[in-house]
Amino acid sequence: MRYAAKDDSFEAVLARANSALYEEFKDDPAPATQYPIGNIVGLPRSGTTVLFQLLAATGQVGYPSNLAAFFWRSPALGAHLQRQLGSTVSSLDLTSLAGRTPGPMGPHEFGYFWRAALGHTRNHEERDAEPWPADELNRQLQSMANAFGAPVVHKNFLAMLHLDEMAAGSPDLRFIALRRPLTEIASSLLAVRERIGISPSEDFGLGIDLESHGCSVPADDALARVAHQVIHLEEYFEACAFDQRDDSLLVDYSALSEDPRGTILNILGLLDIQAHEDAVEHLPDTLATRPPSASDSQVGHAIESAREQHA
């Protein structure tokens, strides 16, 4: 699988198409039927993609696919096309590269949609645009769910920055929070950065403003940048207190790896789906885990150093 760069000419055409489609559908009323809307939340490289793929492969939920994501400003249209041209069920392909999945029906992060909805012009902690009103976000989410005729699951890194605001605006939102040890996350981030050629001076995943957090990192030190990134994102994650919320389920990556079928059934329950074991019997009974690395000690030291600087 190749990590392809964006095509500016295609992006421009897509922006025009989405603008026109929004004008066509913007006055459609909100659907009467309300479905639970799941949001997978976690740090980058915490296992959110494989969890998304497993849920999409159950056939019990709708999800934005690589195909549907082209129509991010009219997501119901994308959902209808996904159903007509392919399926509401993703194949059980658990491969991915830096969060991107293969094939038109592979689950997609739907980043353009969520950045616009929550007031971000880039994949960054800073809110630098006006978010959509809650009723508009709900209309779009429920229109998509009604096109699928089922609850819909999204992968949404920005949700942990706006959790209370989102929950207050829609009682139908549910949050699936995936937790993984920071050393494993940071090591995985470093590996994928190297694989796809990310500059040491740039963030990969949800970016943070180091200066505003009082942090200083050399431009050529990718390890220090990643260490500061993960500790700050962990603060956002922990502040959400997912284990104390009725609308949330906190999942440890180790539990997902050891028992993916049981974990998926628990998540379906959060979405008010009374699924039986036959709905997950085609899923793997365990997931491969990352073996310990000689670099883990170095990564751990960098994380502790970043914590001390932050304190």
Side-chain angles (χ1 to χ4, degrees):
M1 184 176 175
R2 184 170 61 92
Y3 193 83
K6 288 184 177 180
D7 182 326
D8 289 341
S9 62
F10 177 70
E11 292 290 322
V13 170
L14 199 61
R16 291 175 61 191
N18 272 283
S19 179
L21 288 168
Y22 173 70
E23 290 299 319
E24 176 65 26
F25 293 106
K26 68 179 182 179
D27 295 325
D28 286 4
T33 302
Q34 303 288 293
Y35 290 95
I37 306 295
N39 289 263
I40 299 172
V41 186
L43 274 65
R45 311 303 298 172
S46 63
T48 52
T49 299
V50 71
L51 176 56
F52 197 11
Q53 290 171 306
L54 289 167
L55 282 164
T58 64
Q60 303 292 310
V61 297
Y63 66 94
S65 65
N66 292 322
L67 170 68
F70 288 139
F71 307 97
W72 63 273
R73 204 59 183 93
S74 299
L77 173 60
H80 280 298
L81 285 171
Q82 183 173 327
R83 293 192 68 179
Q84 292 297 317
L85 300 179
S87 171
T88 56
V89 184
S90 172
S91 65
L92 189 57
D93 183 348
L94 300 185
T95 60
S96 65
L97 176 58
R100 297 184 183 181
T101 63
M105 293 301 152
H108 192 281
E109 293 182 2
F110 220 23
Y112 283 5
F113 176 89
W114 283 110
R115 286 196 293 275
L118 297 177
H120 295 253
T121 62
R122 55 191 175 134
N123 194 24
H124 194 273
E125 65 175 340
E126 178 189 8
R127 173 177 268 176
D128 56 355
E130 189 69 23
W132 295 349
D135 58 352
E136 170 63 7
L137 176 57
N138 291 335
R139 184 182 71 86
Q140 295 280 18
L141 291 174
Q142 292 298 339
S143 293
M144 188 178 190
N146 275 262
F148 283 120
V152 174
V153 173
H154 297 265
K155 177 179 167 184
N156 188 355
F157 288 122
L158 293 173
M160 63 182 174
L161 307 181
H162 309 292
L163 191 77
D164 289 337
E165 174 187 322
M166 292 175 65
S170 174
D172 302 305
L173 293 181
R174 314 289 166 82
F175 302 95
I176 305 118
L178 191 57
R179 180 171 58 189
R180 188 178 187 183
L182 279 196
T183 299
E184 295 181 14
I185 289 174
S187 294
S188 184
L189 270 171
L190 287 165
V192 78
R193 287 170 62 98
E194 181 177 357
R195 182 174 178 185
I196 65 176
I198 301 295
S199 166
S201 62
E202 298 176 354
D203 283 325
F204 172 78
L206 187 58
I208 61 168
D209 186 345
L210 292 174
E211 290 187 6
S212 71
H213 291 286
C215 303
S216 176
V217 173
D220 61 350
D221 192 341
L223 175 57
R225 174 170 290 276
V226 166
H228 281 281
Q229 180 187 14
V230 297
I231 66 166
H232 289 301
L233 293 181
E234 183 188 49
E235 288 184 352
Y236 284 121
F237 185 89
E238 294 298 332
C240 293
F242 290 109
D243 59 339
Q244 301 175 31
R245 300 181 62 98
D246 294 334
D247 59 3
S248 302
L249 180 66
L250 180 61
V251 177
D252 280 309
Y253 181 75
S254 59
L256 173 64
S257 300
E258 293 167 6
D259 184 17
R261 295 175 182 174
T263 301
I264 294 301
L265 283 174
N266 288 338
I267 294 171
L268 294 177
L270 178 71
L271 300 174
D272 298 340
I273 299 172
Q274 303 304 314
H276 299 288
E277 291 186 3
D278 57 357
V280 297
E281 63 182 4
H282 63 295
L283 303 183
D285 55 2
T286 61
L287 300 178
T289 56
R290 170 187 171 275
S293 168
S295 65
D296 284 353
S297 176
Q298 182 183 9
V299 172
H301 286 309
I303 291 173
E304 290 309 310
S305 177
R307 289 192 194 279
E308 292 173 4
Q309 184 176 343
H310 180 56

